């Protein structure tokens, strides 16, 4: 079952990697009416949250750039960015590298208990790394759908 779960992560991430390659970076910072964030924010947010759910909650070192927290954490907004955000190439590289690290790190650890149970903003409490990892697929898919909605909205302008 563990190999099936890892394979599913690779499939979900492949969709994300293909999506970032298809979208022109020059439209990634547009925030259409009715949206809070832009395409770049959503891709960076996927990387940051995945890192936290797999590594951060276990107390492991998070190996994504430190500035991802200020740009892409829940509650942040591109309209408040005071520095230049990471490029698409950088975010794409982080997403790809992260996939490999996760695959190596999680072998035999899906049932490992978190040091402290984690309750997300939706009120769901997770007790193991496997639970948070499985939730991350749902989270990533939600943001890919948002990216697609943003892209359609921008393309219709």
């Amino acid at each position: 079952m563990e190999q099936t779960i890892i394979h599913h992560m690779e499939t979900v991430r492949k969709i994300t990697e293909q999506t970032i390659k298809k979208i022109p970076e020059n439209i990634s910072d547009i925030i259409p009416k009715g949206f809070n964030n832009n395409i770049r924010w959503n891709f960076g947010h996927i990387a940051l949250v995945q890192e936290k759910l797999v590594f951060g909650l276990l107390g492991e070192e998070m190996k994504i750039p430190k500035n991802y927290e200020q740009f892409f954490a829940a509650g942040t907004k591109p309209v408040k960015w005071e520095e230049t955000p990471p490029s698409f190439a950088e975010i794409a590289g982080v997403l790809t590298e992260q996939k490999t690290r996760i695959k190596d790190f999680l072998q035999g650890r899906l049932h490992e208990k978190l040091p402290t149970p984690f309750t997300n903003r939706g009120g769901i409490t997770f007790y193991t790394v496997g639970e948070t990892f499985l939730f991350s697929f749902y989270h990533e898919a939600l943001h890919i759908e948002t990216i697609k909605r943003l892209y359609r909205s921008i393309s219709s302008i």
Side-chain angles (χ1 to χ4, degrees):
M1 181 56 114
E2 181 177 285
Q3 290 308 317
T4 300
I5 292 169
I6 295 293
H7 178 71
H8 185 67
M9 180 269 300
E10 292 174 316
T11 300
V12 170
R13 186 50 59 92
K14 183 177 181 180
I15 292 166
T16 301
E17 292 168 330
Q18 289 172 339
T19 304
I20 200 169
K21 289 177 184 173
K22 289 179 185 175
I23 295 177
E25 186 168 9
N26 67 337
I27 67 163
S28 70
D29 294 319
I30 298 170
I31 304 173
K33 186 175 181 171
F35 291 90
N36 294 320
N37 291 306
N38 59 32
I39 291 170
R40 185 185 314 272
W41 183 90
N42 278 275
F43 281 121
H45 181 73
I46 288 169
L48 175 64
V49 169
Q50 182 79 313
E51 192 79 9
K52 284 184 169 191
L53 291 175
V54 173
F55 300 103
L57 293 178
L58 281 174
E60 298 287 330
E61 178 184 1
M62 296 195 341
K63 294 185 178 177
I64 60 171
K66 301 263 185 256
N67 66 354
Y68 274 48
E69 191 76 40
Q70 78 182 57
F71 286 113
F72 306 123
T76 60
K77 296 189 181 311
V79 295
K80 295 186 178 183
W81 289 347
E82 295 179 6
E83 297 175 24
T84 303
S87 69
F88 259 28
E90 180 185 320
I91 295 169
V94 166
L95 289 165
T96 298
E97 184 272 337
Q98 185 181 62
K99 175 180 63 181
T100 302
R101 277 189 302 111
I102 289 169
K103 183 178 177 181
D104 293 341
F105 177 75
L106 285 183
Q107 296 296 322
R109 299 184 78 171
L110 292 177
H111 295 292
E112 190 172 324
K113 288 197 181 296
L114 299 173
T116 305
F118 169 69
T119 302
N120 70 7
R121 293 175 80 176
I124 302 167
T125 300
F126 303 100
Y127 299 92
T128 68
V129 69
E131 291 171 345
T132 61
F133 185 51
L134 289 170
F135 178 78
S136 75
F137 306 156
Y138 169 76
H139 177 265
E140 191 159 333
L142 283 176
H143 284 279
I144 287 300
E145 182 56 32
T146 299
I147 289 164
K148 290 177 180 178
R149 286 183 22 244
L150 280 159
Y151 182 72
R152 283 192 301 271
S153 183
I154 292 166
S155 298
S156 69
I157 295 175

